[in-house]
Amino acid sequence: MIQELAGGIETIARLVQELRASLHDSQVLTPDSEGYEDSIKRWSDAVERRAGIVVYVGSAKDISTTIILSRSYAVPFVVSGGRHSSSGASSTDGGLVIDLRKMRRVSVDASTNTVRAQGGCIWEDVDNAAADHGLAMVGGTVNHTGIGGLTLGGGYGWLSGRYGLTIDSLLAVQIVLADGNIRDASAEINEELFWAVRGAGHCFGVVAEFTFQTYEQKNPIWAGQLVFPASKKLDEVVAFANDFVLSNDGSSGMIMGITAPPFMNEPAAVTTLFHNGSASEAEAVFKRLLDLQPLRNTTQERPYRELNSIMNHLVPYGGRKLSKGASFVPRLSADFVRSLIARLQELHSKVRGSPRSILLFEFFSPDAWCRVSEASTAFASRGRHQNLMIGPFWTDAEDDMVCREWARTLARMANRELERVRDEAGRPEWMERIGEYGNYD
């Protein structure tokens, strides 16, 4: 809280005064400012904190000045981009928030197929700017996620099967370091810093601008969701997913969600599907799933720019929620998934608002990201494994710790299952290196 900081309220007041006098392209908010309440909102209500100061920065220079002044007054600060963290890393009780929300400019160089995007952009900004030029890049799977957190933590997305992780398409950054120095980093300049920000970048500074390689994407794609009752079709869906991830050439992707849709009174397997090609090609790839007679089918050809929005409704802003990461290796066991469903149903029976909770199993071809050597970036979890995101939702603050512990329990179950698979496989060296995808924590 503000009173607990060195100097308390007086320190905050002096820092506010100096920030307002020193910053050129930024807005400084305090709890009595218009717009303050909106400035502390986050993707998850469970991690909203009442900051002492929120600075909507407008330039790398102002980021630098804010860092230097915060340190001089011994006021702790955090950084907020897309506000998507459910760990609370972008929130502070009484400290200062460097909020990049106003830095969302995107420029496209069609002659080099590159994009420069400011650090406060969300993926919708980048997707739309690139699509205007018939281009696309590896973003997330939800387009209201900030580009900064996802990129610096590695970055998986629908195009990962073709082009690898988001950091594999990162060409350069402009970053403000903890001492306030502004640095450019790329494969040609400050190479060690560039190595570090690709995978561990949250630890090294505030990125004011990213430069990405993009790829031609003029054709429409095929995507949408199929909904199946888990009690009847789980084995078939999981069997297809296991075969799919081992056989597809990177042009397709699949995420299996386990949740309780409002139009059903039991858990469902909701498959979000993607194919970078025509409907006829996609329907051949996913024929086994389509033949299972889904309860709902929203698949269709659509522009690529729509792809990263088709899961937005599953994880919208607002409400209490979190994400927790784990890993699995195909072949995924349907019995293991059923054990998680049992835990999900227990949560439904005990916690108000929890039927919106979701488990997301990703199935992307790992070939492209495995072609990049593990030593070439700071991302330490390349491998042929896949990601599991554990996402409890709930209504009441009194259930915060219950739901966090529930998520940790499921992550421990996933780790035990991974150990079982390792043992059955003879504990190959690559499986020993499997970690968790930090962006889901």
Side-chain angles (χ1 to χ4, degrees):
M1 301 299 290
I2 293 174
Q3 291 85 351
E4 297 171 350
L5 298 176
I9 294 173
E10 293 79 11
T11 296
I12 291 291
R14 292 197 302 272
L15 176 55
V16 167
Q17 184 177 21
E18 191 162 355
L19 286 166
R20 286 176 171 160
S22 304
L23 302 178
H24 301 288
D25 304 301
S26 303
Q27 181 183 10
V28 180
L29 302 182
T30 55
D32 60 350
S33 301
E34 182 179 356
Y36 171 82
E37 296 300 330
D38 180 65
S39 76
I40 61 171
K41 290 188 180 301
R42 296 295 183 263
W43 175 68
S44 172
D45 293 350
V47 296
E48 288 186 6
R49 305 287 185 266
R50 297 198 68 78
I53 308 171
V54 177
V55 182
Y56 283 127
V57 289
S59 66
K61 176 60 177 173
D62 278 4
I63 295 171
S64 173
T65 300
T66 302
I67 290 173
I68 292 169
L69 289 175
S70 295
R71 294 184 63 186
S72 72
Y73 281 88
V75 172
F77 65 89
V78 298
V79 182
S80 176
R83 307 182 175 196
H84 228 271
S85 165
S86 65
S87 69
S90 64
S91 304
T92 174
D93 270 323
L96 182 146
V97 178
I98 297 174
D99 196 310
L100 303 173
R101 180 188 287 200
K102 305 299 184 183
M103 296 180 64
R104 291 176 61 176
R105 185 174 64 249
V106 182
S107 60
V108 180
D109 185 340
S111 67
T112 59
N113 287 359
T114 56
V115 165
R116 295 172 64 186
Q118 289 187 307
C121 289
I122 60 175
W123 284 107
E124 181 180 21
D125 301 327
V126 177
D127 290 341
N128 286 336
D132 288 343
H133 297 268
L135 300 170
M137 63 161 294
V138 182
T141 55
V142 173
N143 71 7
H144 53 63
T145 306
I147 70 169
L150 183 135
T151 301
L152 297 175
Y156 293 86
W158 292 109
L159 293 180
S160 288
R162 280 192 177 180
Y163 307 121
L165 305 178
T166 304
I167 54 171
D168 299 334
S169 295
L170 181 63
L171 300 177
V173 297
Q174 181 189 60
I175 185 170
V176 185
L177 304 178
D179 62 2
N181 281 311
I182 301 171
R183 294 285 185 264
D184 294 322
S186 68
E188 290 76 38
I189 183 171
N190 292 314
E191 299 93 336
E192 291 186 352
L193 178 60
F194 188 56
W195 177 89
V197 300
R198 287 176 294 161
H202 311 81
C203 303
F204 292 94
V206 183
V207 176
E209 186 176 77
F210 297 86
T211 302
F212 296 107
Q213 184 68 57
T214 66
Y215 307 92
E216 187 173 286
Q217 184 66 53
K218 295 181 178 178
N219 60 282
I221 57 93
W222 178 94
Q225 294 176 323
L226 308 180
V227 180
F228 302 95
S231 62
K232 297 178 180 177
K233 299 295 178 72
L234 182 66
D235 288 274
E236 293 94 330
V237 172
V238 171
F240 171 82
N242 284 324
D243 293 337
F244 166 80
V245 77
L246 298 175
S247 63
N248 94 82
D249 65 359
S251 297
S252 308
M254 171 178 169
I255 297 177
M256 180 182 74
I258 302 295
T259 189
F263 56 87
M264 295 177 63
N265 55 14
E266 66 167 304
V270 180
T271 61
T272 304
L273 310 178
F274 157 68
H275 179 71
N276 202 343
S278 67
S280 59
E281 294 171 354
E283 287 163 1
V285 172
F286 293 104
K287 183 178 186 302
R288 280 170 54 191
L289 278 185
L290 294 166
D291 286 349
L292 292 177
Q293 299 180 323
L295 298 177
R296 292 198 177 183
N297 181 349
T298 66
T299 58
Q300 64 181 61
E301 283 193 10
R302 59 183 85 216
Y304 176 82
R305 73 173 76 210
E306 292 183 12
L307 176 61
N308 284 353
S309 68
I310 62 176
M311 290 179 62
N312 284 3
H313 67 286
L314 296 174
V315 287
Y317 273 79
R320 308 186 85 80
K321 61 176 104 45
L322 65 86
S323 64
K324 173 67 180 168
S327 301
F328 69 95
V329 174
R331 302 190 65 88
L332 178 66
S333 162
D335 286 338
F336 166 64
V337 178
R338 270 188 282 271
S339 73
L340 298 184
I341 291 175
R343 293 293 185 128
L344 187 63
Q345 291 174 308
E346 289 178 10
L347 187 72
H348 293 172
S349 69
K350 296 176 181 178
V351 175
R352 195 162 71 96
S354 62
R356 293 183 61 198
S357 301
I358 191 165
L359 309 174
L360 295 174
F361 297 83
E362 297 177 0
F363 295 90
F364 299 128
S365 170
D367 293 345
W369 69 67
C370 285
R371 283 195 290 268
V372 178
S373 73
E374 194 167 52
S376 65
T377 70
F379 186 78
S381 192
R382 290 183 191 269
R384 306 197 70 81
H385 58 282
Q386 301 288 322
N387 296 316
L388 163 61
M389 193 279 280
I390 302 160
F393 284 66
W394 66 99
T395 301
D396 302 314
E398 65 192 45
D399 291 318
D400 284 4
M401 294 311 299
V402 171
C403 291
R404 287 193 179 277
E405 183 54 34
W406 179 86
R408 294 186 189 109
T409 296
L410 265 65
R412 288 191 289 268
M413 292 172 66
N415 288 337
R416 287 194 295 269
E417 175 67 6
L418 184 57
E419 277 297 299
R420 182 190 68 79
V421 172
R422 282 189 182 115
D423 288 341
E424 286 191 355
R427 304 193 73 88
E429 190 271 337
W430 73 269
M431 282 193 186
E432 299 290 355
R433 300 197 309 272
I434 295 174
E436 296 173 2
Y437 180 36
N439 280 351
Y440 284 161
D441 278 359

